[in-house]
Amino acid sequence: ITFLGRTSAGAIVECGLRDKLIFPADIHGLHEMLEYINRKAVEAGCSGDASRQIELASEEALVNIIRYAYDNQ
């Protein structure tokens, strides 16, 4: 996975990540999923701003997947 973000000055920043972990599609595990994603973004060299953007986008995507694709099962 390659994360692309922008610095506050508008520069594009690329952060690489190669890892895999499988989580159950359960809203109760969302916090753990987001912690994992944030930790990996930081390990990949993403800035604080980029990490927060990744976490926010990931939260939106994960909630939608859990609620609508798996019906919170």
Side-chain angles (χ1 to χ4, degrees):
I1 297 171
T2 300
F3 298 115
L4 294 176
R6 290 195 182 268
T7 65
S8 56
I12 295 176
V13 179
E14 182 178 325
C15 307
L17 171 66
R18 291 184 184 179
D19 206 353
K20 181 178 179 178
L21 190 63
I22 299 172
F23 291 94
D26 184 342
I27 201 74
H28 293 90
L30 182 62
H31 182 71
E32 182 182 0
M33 292 178 216
L34 294 173
E35 281 184 344
Y36 174 79
I37 289 168
N38 189 49
R39 184 174 63 250
K40 289 299 180 179
V42 170
E43 287 175 11
C46 294
S47 69
D49 283 345
S51 295
R52 284 187 289 281
Q53 291 174 5
I54 292 165
E55 185 176 359
L56 181 62
S58 297
E59 180 178 12
E60 181 71 22
L62 290 168
V63 167
N64 285 336
I65 290 167
I66 292 167
R67 287 199 175 144
Y68 302 112
Y70 291 95
D71 197 24
N72 204 25
Q73 294 180 10

